[in-house]
């Protein structure tokens, strides 16, 4: 199994999502992460429940612009907040035999898929600026961050197109419209 931990550290995420409880936010985030993880075939036994409990972990941090700005400055040398940051864990470095051992429940240490940090004010402001539903925008960024943890990137056009197409398909499965249909001028 995959343990998905959500920590709501700062900000009124409940207000952003129409007054839902923290437990509902955590449940929604976990469901969204698990949906994005299906893109990685090696994770199938962990998602299907046939692997032992908590052999893989993934963490989400719901926080504010100040905390994300600090992380962005420390890890990316960019002194500004951003909507989502992803920090891959050791999952991408595992060999096939390591993954098989984890799935079989062998006596090996658990692996960490990675961490995702989300900035409330940036997400709220982007959703308002782009005329998007805040819930849909948040779920898009959770999918986006999860795909980064799986090795997807958008540094070059071809990779960006593939990643955007996958995000759009995954979000459509969740009933969310194409997040890339909004393009600011000059994009």
């Amino acid at each position: 199994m995959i343990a998905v931990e959500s920590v709501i550290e700062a900000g009124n995420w409940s207000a952003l999502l129409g007054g839902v409880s923290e437990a509902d936010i955590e449940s929604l985030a976990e469901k969204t992460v698990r949906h994005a993880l299906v893109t990685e075939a090696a994770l199938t036994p962990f998602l299907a429940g046939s692997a032992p409990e908590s052999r893989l972990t993934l963490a989400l941090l719901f926080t504010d612009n100040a905390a994300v700005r600090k992380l962005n400055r420390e890890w990316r040398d960019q002194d500004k907040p951003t909507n989502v940051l992803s920090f891959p864990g050791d999952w991408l470095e595992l060999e096939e035999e390591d993954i098989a051992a984890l799935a079989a429940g062998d006596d090996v240490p658990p692996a960490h898929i990675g961490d995702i940090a989300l900035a409330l004010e940036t997400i709220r402001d982007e959703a308002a600026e782009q005329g998007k539903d805040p819930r849909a925008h948040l779920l898009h960024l959770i999918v986006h961050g999860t795909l980064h943890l799986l090795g997807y990137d958008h540094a070059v056009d071809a990779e960006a197109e593939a990643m955007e197409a996958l995000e759009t398909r995954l979000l459509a499965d969740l009933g969310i419209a194409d997040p890339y249909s909004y393009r600011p001028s000059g994009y």
Side-chain angles (χ1 to χ4, degrees), residues 149-186:
L149 298 181
L150 297 177
Y152 290 87
D153 203 357
H154 46 79
V156 297
D157 287 345
E159 291 176 352
E161 289 173 16
M163 186 172 178
E164 288 177 12
L166 181 54
E167 290 173 34
T168 300
R169 182 180 60 78
L170 290 167
L171 290 166
D173 293 345
L174 298 172
I176 296 172
D178 179 358
Y180 296 103
S181 62
Y182 170 83
R183 298 281 187 187
S185 60

Side-chain angles (χ1 to χ4, degrees), residues 16-178:
L16 178 74
L17 300 175
V20 301
S21 70
E22 284 191 8
D24 288 339
I25 294 168
E26 292 169 0
S27 176
L28 181 64
E30 181 174 352
K31 176 184 170 189
T32 305
V33 163
R34 289 184 184 284
H35 184 67
L37 291 175
V38 302
T39 61
E40 178 63 44
L43 291 173
T44 301
F46 300 96
L47 292 167
S50 58
E53 193 66 33
S54 300
R55 302 300 294 161
L56 292 174
T57 59
L58 186 147
L60 292 116
L61 176 65
F62 292 83
T63 193
D64 58 16
N65 275 359
V68 169
R69 179 181 182 171
K70 183 179 176 186
L71 290 169
N72 206 17
R73 182 176 54 243
E74 289 175 11
W75 293 97
R76 298 179 65 228
D77 293 322
Q78 295 190 26
D79 191 16
K80 62 182 180 178
T82 189
N83 51 21
V84 61
L85 290 172
S86 297
F87 301 95
D90 55 0
W91 166 255
L92 292 176
E93 299 166 14
L94 295 179
E95 301 292 331
E96 281 187 40
E97 57 271 9
D98 299 324
I99 295 169
L102 278 169
D106 293 351
D107 189 23
V108 295
H112 187 57
I113 296 170
D115 304 306
I116 298 170
L118 299 148
L120 174 69
E121 300 93 337
T122 299
I123 293 170
R124 180 195 61 220
D125 295 349
E126 287 175 349
E129 178 184 296
Q130 297 171 17
K132 294 180 178 177
D133 173 65
R135 177 184 175 278
H137 191 48
L138 172 63
L139 297 186
H140 170 223
L141 294 171
I142 291 172
V143 166
H144 184 87
T146 302
L147 292 179
H148 275 306
L149 298 181
L150 297 177
Y152 290 87
D153 203 357
H154 46 79
V156 297
D157 287 345
E159 291 176 352
E161 289 173 16
M163 186 172 178
E164 288 177 12
L166 181 54
E167 290 173 34
T168 300
R169 182 180 60 78
L170 290 167
L171 290 166
D173 293 345
L174 298 172
I176 296 172
D178 179 358

